């Protein structure tokens, strides 16, 4: 174990692969470190990159502390560092939703690198169910039949919830991937139905060439009439429509 200057450290992108604490969780950690000191050292690599313990480090910064205890694991390879970060967080009891999202993030990352991986393998790696990872993929994926909402997954991953209530004044928030997927399916169907109705109404008001010629003819005749005649016609049409 070593001590490092707090201001010399920075967060490694690997640390961001795990959820952020909620404000309430961070306050509990803050109060505990302020009262009892830090119980576990943070983990760094490459002399100053934090891969585990970023919230403990942030508490030290807020408390104005100069030094922080660290364990240097620079000897770990890139894949070993990733496994360390993932396995450390799994021991901290992520929710089933967070585990599924972590597995999905891992699946996408590995696929993007060109390596072969199945969604089932990613699910197994994180102790999640394949069904849950598939739901995360449906919500956050960008394919044609997916919802393209990675923002929702990011929200859930960082211990927040998503409102699935149709009434914004009475929100019902959840972190259930199943409930959110069902909500998005209903929303999509409602939008498709509205779009179909709009297209149908638009088609109903499309004029034939003959009808278009009649409209032009009437407009020419109206243009030739005096302003008082045009105003009288407009008023009578308005009254006629009110009586229909």
């Amino acid at each position: 174990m070593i001590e490092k200057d707090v201001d010399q450290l920075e967060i490694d992108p690997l640390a961001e692969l795990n959820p952020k604490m909620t404000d309430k969780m961070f306050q509990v950690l803050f109060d505990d470190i302020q009262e009892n000191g830090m119980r576990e050292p943070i983990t760094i690599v490459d002399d100053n990159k934090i891969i585990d313990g970023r919230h403990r480090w942030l508490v030290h910064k807020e408390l104005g502390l100069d030094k922080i205890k660290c364990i240097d694991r620079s000897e770990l390879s890139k894949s070993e560092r990733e496994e360390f970060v993932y396995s450390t967080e799994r021991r901290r009891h992520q929710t089933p939703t967070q585990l599924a999202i972590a597995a999905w993030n891992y699946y996408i990352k590995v696929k993007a690198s060109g390596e072969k991986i199945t969604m089932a393998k990613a699910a197994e790696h994180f102790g999640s169910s394949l069904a849950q990872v598939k739901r995360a993929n449906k919500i956050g994926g960008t394919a044609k039949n997916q919802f393209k909402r990675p923002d929702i997954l990011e929200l859930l991953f960082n211990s927040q919830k998503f409102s699935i209530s149709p009434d914004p004044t009475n929100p019902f928030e959840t972190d259930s991937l199943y409930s959110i997927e069902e909500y998005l399916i209903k929303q999509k169907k409602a939008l498709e139905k509205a779009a179909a109705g709009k297209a149908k109404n638009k088609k109903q008001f499309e004029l034939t060439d003959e009808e278009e010629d009649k409209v032009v003819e009437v407009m020419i005749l109206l243009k030739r009439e005096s302003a008082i005649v045009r105003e009288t016609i407009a008023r009578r049409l308005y009254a006629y429509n009110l009586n229909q």
Side-chain angles (χ1 to χ4, degrees), residues 106-119:
Y106 179 71
Y107 168 76
I108 295 298
K109 183 174 181 292
V110 172
K111 275 194 71 176
S113 71
E115 297 179 35
K116 290 184 178 180
I117 186 172
T118 63
M119 206 173 287

Side-chain angles (χ1 to χ4, degrees), residues 196-212:
K198 188 175 180 181
K200 183 179 180 181
N201 289 336
K202 183 179 179 182
K203 188 174 182 181
Q204 286 176 347
F205 287 99
E206 288 180 354
L207 299 177
T208 64
D209 291 342
E210 184 180 351
E211 289 169 335
E212 183 66 34

Side-chain angles (χ1 to χ4, degrees), residues 3-11 47-50 57 61 66-67:
E3 281 196 342
K4 286 280 188 178
D5 290 339
V6 170
D7 292 337
Q8 290 181 351
L9 299 177
E10 59 185 51
I11 300 172
D47 193 47
N48 70 335
K49 306 278 190 179
I50 302 168
W57 173 70
K61 285 177 71 71
D66 297 326
K67 300 285 185 179

Side-chain angles (χ1 to χ4, degrees), residues 139-196:
I139 294 168
T142 56
K144 185 177 180 181
N145 62 339
Q146 296 167 345
F147 291 111
K148 305 177 181 65
R149 294 297 304 272
D151 58 304
I152 295 178
L153 298 185
E154 183 178 357
L155 191 78
L156 303 180
F157 191 60
N158 288 306
S159 306
Q160 299 181 59
K161 294 184 178 182
F162 179 73
S163 176
I164 60 172
S165 171
D167 181 3
T169 63
N170 185 29
F172 176 74
E173 296 185 332
T174 181
D175 65 349
S176 165
L177 293 175
Y178 173 80
S179 298
I180 293 171
E181 181 186 12
E182 290 297 302
Y183 168 79
L184 292 175
I185 289 172
K186 289 178 182 177
Q187 288 289 95
K188 183 180 179 182
K189 287 181 178 178
L191 288 173
E192 288 174 346
K193 184 177 180 181

Side-chain angles (χ1 to χ4, degrees), residues 207-220:
L207 299 177
T208 64
D209 291 342
E210 184 180 351
E211 289 169 335
E212 183 66 34
D213 290 340
K214 288 182 180 178
V215 170
V216 173
E217 184 181 343
V218 170
M219 293 302 294
I220 292 173

